[in-house]
Amino acid sequence: MAFSSNVTNFMSVSPNSPIAHLSNIKFSVLSIPLIDSYSPRTSSSTSLFSVHTSSRRCRPFSVQAMTSSFGSRLEDNVKKTLAENPVVVYSKTWCSYSSEVKTLLKRLGVEPLVIELDELGPQGPQIQKVLERLTGQHTVPNVFIGGKHIGGCTDTVKLYRKGELEPLLSEANAKNTQS
């Protein structure tokens, strides 16, 4: 998609300014997404810029930028956290459902790794988006046992009431031996 805009709408330039001749510049941007056919997450974008002035035309130049590297690093960190810890709860400190799950797990003798998303600054919402991509769940708590997504509070409590939660915890070696 091509895009043109006139810089004079963007900035005001004094007629005596050394950059007064730039006031009639128009920019054209052509953006072409490039996607690696083997990995849909690895993509780059190439933009071609042409600078047009009333008196002459400059050569086009290109700019490349990698996208999704930060998001994929976050996703890798989330997956690593899940693989290295038997029970992980992504939570928010103010959420009563998160508190209920944490209380239930502690009552069962489990000390989960609790990640309070609201205490992580701007990274909290980014991790929550990664979790939504991985699980389809956008709410907290987001509970994982043995690297497997269990669900939220309702799902965890249902498993407990059906007698299925404790076997999952034992299978993941999540129970403390001191309880």
Side-chain angles (χ1 to χ4, degrees), residues 141-159:
N142 213 325
V143 182
F144 295 83
I145 299 174
K148 180 184 173 209
H149 182 243
I150 299 304
C153 179
T154 303
D155 302 308
T156 307
V157 171
K158 277 183 187 175
L159 286 173

Side-chain angles (χ1 to χ4, degrees), residues 73-106:
R73 271 187 284 152
L74 264 180
E75 185 173 322
D76 290 343
N77 286 338
V78 167
K79 288 178 178 179
K80 182 178 180 202
T81 299
L82 298 176
E84 293 176 350
N85 297 280
V87 181
V88 180
V89 178
Y90 288 90
S91 169
K92 292 187 179 174
T93 55
W94 51 263
C95 176
S96 60
Y97 297 109
S98 295
S99 296
E100 186 176 341
V101 165
K102 292 182 280 189
T103 301
L104 172 62
L105 291 171
K106 287 186 184 193

Side-chain angles (χ1 to χ4, degrees), residues 43-74:
S43 67
S44 64
S45 178
T46 301
S47 296
L48 300 175
F49 293 89
S50 295
V51 179
H52 307 277
T53 65
S54 54
S55 60
R56 64 186 172 129
R57 181 181 166 133
C58 297
R59 279 186 178 194
F61 59 94
S62 71
V63 177
Q64 286 192 339
M66 290 302 291
T67 58
S68 299
S69 64
F70 181 71
S72 62
R73 271 187 284 152
L74 264 180

Side-chain angles (χ1 to χ4, degrees), residues 16-38:
N16 298 328
S17 168
I19 61 166
H21 66 281
L22 297 177
S23 65
N24 290 326
I25 293 178
K26 284 191 176 186
F27 293 92
S28 295
V29 179
L30 177 63
S31 183
I32 307 164
L34 302 173
I35 300 175
D36 180 24
S37 61
Y38 294 104

